[in-house]
Amino acid sequence: MAEETIFSQILQGSIPCEEVYSDELCLAFRDIQPQAPTHILVIPRKTIPSLKDASEEDSALLGHLLLVTSKIANQEGLQNWRTVINTGEAAGQTVFHLHLHIIGGRDLSWPPG
Ligand code: 5GP
């Protein structure tokens, strides 16, 4: 059984969030520590700890999450934004429930740190 995370608690409604989008497959809410004027997290309702734990059967879900990031960016009035999935601790993942960051509203440099 996958471990309880802060995001599974947000999905259950036991921890509040500033919701920006919701459907039967995912939930999106503002990051509590925004790194840019717009910083939103999109999470699947299905518990998948990390991108490396996703399988072939999650293909449609993963595609849906990407399209949702685009829909939300549009909703937020962003013309340019970055979609980030940190996978594993050394890559910066701190919450082990798959999530896509939508970061925008300022110029973003490359490469990332
Ligand atoms: P990661 O570092 O795993 O890619 O991203 C986790 C993100 O979740 C971080 O940007 C962090 O600020 C955000 N976060 C952690 N706890 C909470 C919370 O309780 N509420 C919200 N809205 N964001 C959180």
Side-chain angles (χ1 to χ4, degrees):
M1 188 118 156
E3 251 178 73
E4 181 94 339
T5 65
I6 201 103
F7 291 173
S8 56
Q9 291 174 279
I10 286 175
L11 282 169
Q12 287 155 22
S14 49
I15 290 182
C17 72
E18 197 181 330
E19 183 179 314
V20 296
Y21 177 88
S22 174
D23 66 25
E24 69 286 4
L25 294 176
C26 67
L27 175 71
F29 50 89
R30 295 194 191 280
D31 197 293
I32 206 166
Q33 269 194 304
Q35 302 301 315
T38 302
H39 188 170
I40 291 165
L41 302 169
V42 183
I43 68 173
R45 294 190 182 279
K46 178 177 178 182
T47 303
I48 302 172
S50 195
L51 187 58
K52 62 187 166 203
D53 302 304
S55 62
E56 202 60 41
E57 70 175 31
D58 300 312
S59 299
L61 173 61
L62 295 175
H64 180 74
L65 295 174
L66 273 182
L67 289 174
V68 163
T69 64
S70 198
K71 193 183 278 190
I72 293 170
N74 188 46
Q75 188 177 295
E76 294 286 314
L78 298 175
Q79 300 298 320
N80 305 271
W81 71 91
R82 188 170 292 167
T83 305
V84 174
I85 303 175
N86 293 323
T87 304
E89 224 161 0
Q93 186 174 7
T94 57
V95 179
F96 287 82
H97 181 115
L98 176 64
H99 52 282
L100 289 72
H101 296 255
I102 303 169
I103 300 167
R106 65 168 170 83
D107 288 348
L108 299 166
S109 59
W110 191 264

